[in-house]
Amino acid sequence: MKFIVIGISDAPEPFFTPEIQEIIKNGRVFTGGKRHHEIVAPLLPTDAQWIDIITPLDAVFEQYQSLTTNIIVFASGDPLFFGFANTIRRKMPEAEIVLYPTFNSLQLLAHRLVMPYHDMRIVSLTGRPWPEFDKALIERTTKIGILTDKEHTPAAIAQRMIDYGYTNYQMHVGEHLGNPSLECVTTLSLDEASRREFSHPNCLIIEQQGEMPTRLFGIPDADFTLLDGREKMITKMPIRLLTLQALELRKKNVFWDIGFCTGSISIEARLQFPHLQICAFEIRPECEAIIQENTRKFGAPGIDVLIGDFLHADLSALPRPDAVFIGGHGGHLKEIIAKVKTVLADNGCIVMNSVKAPLVKTDSHQLWDEACQELSLRQAPPTKIILNDNHPIEILKAYYHPDK
């Protein structure tokens, strides 16, 4: 099967080369979005068949597969730029694809602004969640081109940036780019953008204005909002960094923080390893407001917070972790480790910090050892550290290797 994919802008009277005009003239089956149909309908042959590209896409591709003729696709801009040509390649890898691209919307916006865009990082929020955008912010990317949708609007994007302290940007918004009568390009502050509505379709470029304060490697303990002001309810910064090192997060994908309390481990992990997908669990409901305050204070968006008893939580819809930190267990350490093992990815690891306090009746290290033995978890040698005048701490680590 052969797809001829033609890129168009939002112009109501698109310009096509003689070659493309001939393709359209001789075509019989055409497909595209409803907006594309409105634009090209006057140019189609009278006997043309049109297939709307709507969800679910499986039904659309079933129609394609029932055909024996070439299919002419109209798509926005460059069909390989987060476009429909990529969908064809994924759904029908054996199909032949011929492309006639035009400028994509972010290129058009950069052209209108006379802005070099070779150094621009691209993030698509069209039908996609926030993680890639959050990652770009945490990495303090200086210039980000963003494809939007009706949920991830310029106002919503600006508000998210304000909420997490990324306010040293200005926003350029392009609406109906390529349409001479509707096109509008606006440059404004994030505060202005957060209070304004823009017509769709639109895209935007955010551009850093000046530098943010230097981010420390290790957030000072005193900077966190604490649970009831209790200094002991936080993993101290040196221990925190050693814990992150033990978790090997640079090469992990999904991290679970069980018993997050103030959120210090999750937040530090988010800032140091922004590629991670992080789920933070806590049984105390009052900690939800605390972690939300801390994530905003330190600019760490994108941590999924789950409040409730971990042992009663339904984990089936969550991504399988390949790194887990147990920061609190409420006397149910062995049960928690057993439940973690049921979802832990192959070769994943579990880390816990055990305090050697003489008056503590239950030895968490002993419970850890028993759990690892009962569940066939392979332990790494513990890291022992004494911080100032505090009790000794052991950083415990175990691996899950199902084939060993």
Side-chain angles (χ1 to χ4, degrees), residues 15-213:
F15 168 80
F16 292 127
T17 64
E19 180 183 1
I20 296 176
Q21 292 179 38
E22 193 67 18
I23 290 172
I24 296 172
K25 177 182 176 181
N26 296 320
R28 290 294 176 267
V29 179
F30 300 85
T31 188
K34 291 184 177 180
R35 182 170 61 90
H36 301 136
H37 193 198
E38 293 172 358
I39 292 172
V40 303
L43 307 176
L44 302 182
T46 56
D47 60 346
Q49 176 186 352
W50 180 270
I51 300 173
D52 276 325
I53 297 176
I54 56 175
T55 55
L57 287 179
D58 287 345
V60 176
F61 276 87
E62 286 179 8
Q63 293 184 68
Y64 294 163
Q65 290 169 337
S66 68
L67 300 170
T68 57
T69 185
N70 295 341
I71 299 174
I72 300 172
V73 182
F74 291 100
S76 298
D78 181 350
L80 287 175
F81 184 76
F82 297 98
F84 196 67
N86 297 321
T87 306
I88 296 172
R89 293 185 64 190
R90 185 176 70 254
K91 295 277 191 178
M92 301 178 68
E94 303 302 320
E96 179 185 355
I97 300 175
V98 177
L99 290 174
Y100 293 91
T102 189
F103 291 120
N104 65 60
S105 59
L106 287 173
Q107 287 176 311
L108 289 174
L109 180 54
H111 295 163
R112 303 297 187 264
L113 297 167
V114 194
M115 174 189 289
Y117 59 89
H118 60 276
D119 58 344
M120 183 167 68
R121 182 162 169 179
I122 308 300
V123 172
S124 176
L125 292 174
T126 304
R128 293 173 170 86
W130 291 107
E132 285 302 314
F133 177 66
D134 292 341
K135 182 173 182 285
L137 286 183
I138 293 170
E139 293 175 347
R140 301 186 176 190
T141 308
T142 57
K143 188 187 298 179
I144 309 173
I146 306 168
L147 300 175
T148 65
D149 62 17
K150 292 183 179 180
E151 177 182 352
H152 302 90
T153 64
I157 293 166
Q159 189 60 57
R160 190 172 183 85
M161 297 175 71
I162 292 169
D163 288 345
Y164 289 96
Y166 293 93
T167 55
N168 62 323
Y169 285 84
Q170 68 176 356
M171 181 177 285
H172 310 282
V173 182
E175 304 166 80
H176 297 283
L177 294 171
N179 187 324
S181 60
L182 296 176
E183 179 175 301
C184 179
V185 175
T186 312
T187 297
L188 61 174
S189 69
L190 296 182
D191 183 62
E192 291 170 327
S194 70
R195 294 181 280 108
R196 181 166 170 175
E197 291 186 8
F198 296 88
S199 59
H200 197 80
N202 61 62
C203 66
L204 56 95
I205 297 173
I206 57 174
E207 188 177 21
Q208 200 173 102
Q209 304 291 297
E211 295 184 359
M212 293 183 70

